[in-house]
Short mmCIF file of all heavy atoms in Angstrom, two decimals:
data_model
loop_
_atom_site.label_atom_id
_atom_site.label_comp_id
_atom_site.label_asym_id
_atom_site.label_seq_id
_atom_site.Cartn_x
_atom_site.Cartn_y
_atom_site.Cartn_z
N VAL B 244 -27.48 13.85 -19.67
CA VAL B 244 -27.13 13.31 -20.95
C VAL B 244 -27.35 11.82 -20.94
O VAL B 244 -27.91 11.25 -21.95
CB VAL B 244 -25.58 13.57 -21.26
CG1 VAL B 244 -25.17 13.04 -22.65
CG2 VAL B 244 -25.26 15.04 -21.17
N LEU B 245 -27.07 11.18 -19.83
CA LEU B 245 -27.25 9.72 -19.70
C LEU B 245 -28.64 9.33 -19.99
O LEU B 245 -28.97 8.38 -20.69
CB LEU B 245 -26.73 9.25 -18.34
CG LEU B 245 -26.68 7.76 -18.18
CD1 LEU B 245 -25.53 7.25 -19.07
CD2 LEU B 245 -26.45 7.41 -16.72
N ARG B 246 -29.62 10.14 -19.39
CA ARG B 246 -31.03 9.84 -19.56
C ARG B 246 -31.39 9.84 -21.02
O ARG B 246 -32.08 8.95 -21.57
CB ARG B 246 -31.83 10.90 -18.83
CG ARG B 246 -32.22 10.38 -17.42
CD ARG B 246 -33.08 11.39 -16.71
NE ARG B 246 -32.44 11.71 -15.40
CZ ARG B 246 -32.05 12.90 -15.00
NH1 ARG B 246 -32.08 13.91 -15.83
NH2 ARG B 246 -31.43 13.01 -13.86
N LEU B 247 -30.95 10.89 -21.74
CA LEU B 247 -31.27 11.06 -23.19
C LEU B 247 -30.62 9.86 -24.00
O LEU B 247 -31.25 9.28 -24.88
CB LEU B 247 -30.81 12.38 -23.72
CG LEU B 247 -31.48 13.61 -23.11
CD1 LEU B 247 -30.86 14.89 -23.49
CD2 LEU B 247 -32.95 13.60 -23.55
N LEU B 248 -29.38 9.53 -23.62
CA LEU B 248 -28.72 8.45 -24.38
C LEU B 248 -29.43 7.07 -24.14
O LEU B 248 -29.54 6.28 -25.01
CB LEU B 248 -27.24 8.34 -23.95
CG LEU B 248 -26.33 9.53 -24.41
CD1 LEU B 248 -24.84 9.25 -23.95
CD2 LEU B 248 -26.33 9.69 -25.91
N ALA B 249 -29.90 6.97 -22.90
CA ALA B 249 -30.65 5.72 -22.59
C ALA B 249 -31.92 5.66 -23.39
O ALA B 249 -32.30 4.59 -23.88
CB ALA B 249 -30.98 5.70 -21.09
N VAL B 250 -32.56 6.82 -23.60
CA VAL B 250 -33.82 6.81 -24.39
C VAL B 250 -33.45 6.47 -25.88
O VAL B 250 -34.16 5.64 -26.45
CB VAL B 250 -34.46 8.25 -24.34
CG1 VAL B 250 -35.56 8.34 -25.40
CG2 VAL B 250 -35.00 8.53 -22.97
N VAL B 251 -32.37 6.98 -26.34
CA VAL B 251 -31.91 6.62 -27.71
C VAL B 251 -31.58 5.15 -27.81
O VAL B 251 -32.05 4.46 -28.79
CB VAL B 251 -30.68 7.51 -28.10
CG1 VAL B 251 -30.13 7.06 -29.51
CG2 VAL B 251 -31.07 8.98 -28.15
N PHE B 252 -30.92 4.64 -26.85
CA PHE B 252 -30.51 3.20 -26.88
C PHE B 252 -31.73 2.32 -26.80
O PHE B 252 -31.81 1.34 -27.54
CB PHE B 252 -29.57 2.93 -25.71
CG PHE B 252 -28.90 1.60 -25.86
CD1 PHE B 252 -28.00 1.41 -26.91
CD2 PHE B 252 -29.18 0.57 -25.00
CE1 PHE B 252 -27.32 0.20 -27.02
CE2 PHE B 252 -28.52 -0.70 -25.20
CZ PHE B 252 -27.65 -0.88 -26.19
N VAL B 253 -32.71 2.64 -25.94
CA VAL B 253 -33.94 1.83 -25.88
C VAL B 253 -34.64 1.93 -27.18
O VAL B 253 -35.20 0.89 -27.70
CB VAL B 253 -34.82 2.36 -24.67
CG1 VAL B 253 -36.22 1.71 -24.71
CG2 VAL B 253 -34.13 2.05 -23.36
N GLY B 254 -34.70 3.11 -27.81
CA GLY B 254 -35.29 3.26 -29.12
C GLY B 254 -34.63 2.36 -30.13
O GLY B 254 -35.31 1.67 -30.92
N MET B 255 -33.28 2.31 -30.13
CA MET B 255 -32.52 1.46 -31.05
C MET B 255 -32.90 -0.02 -30.80
O MET B 255 -33.12 -0.81 -31.75
CB MET B 255 -31.05 1.62 -30.86
CG MET B 255 -30.51 2.92 -31.45
SD MET B 255 -28.88 3.37 -30.79
CE MET B 255 -27.83 2.24 -31.58
N PHE B 256 -32.96 -0.37 -29.48
CA PHE B 256 -33.28 -1.76 -29.14
C PHE B 256 -34.66 -2.13 -29.66
O PHE B 256 -34.89 -3.24 -30.17
CB PHE B 256 -33.26 -1.90 -27.58
CG PHE B 256 -32.41 -2.96 -27.07
CD1 PHE B 256 -31.01 -2.79 -27.10
CD2 PHE B 256 -32.90 -4.17 -26.63
CE1 PHE B 256 -30.19 -3.79 -26.62
CE2 PHE B 256 -32.04 -5.13 -26.19
CZ PHE B 256 -30.65 -4.95 -26.19
N LEU B 257 -35.66 -1.20 -29.46
CA LEU B 257 -36.97 -1.47 -29.89
C LEU B 257 -37.07 -1.59 -31.43
O LEU B 257 -37.74 -2.48 -31.99
CB LEU B 257 -37.96 -0.43 -29.43
CG LEU B 257 -38.22 -0.37 -27.91
CD1 LEU B 257 -39.07 0.87 -27.48
CD2 LEU B 257 -38.89 -1.67 -27.43
#
Side-chain angles (χ1 to χ4, degrees):
Chain B
V244 182
L245 190 68
R246 264 182 236 118
L247 295 171
L248 291 181
V250 170
V251 173
F252 193 68
V253 169
M255 284 160 75
F256 234 77
L257 291 174

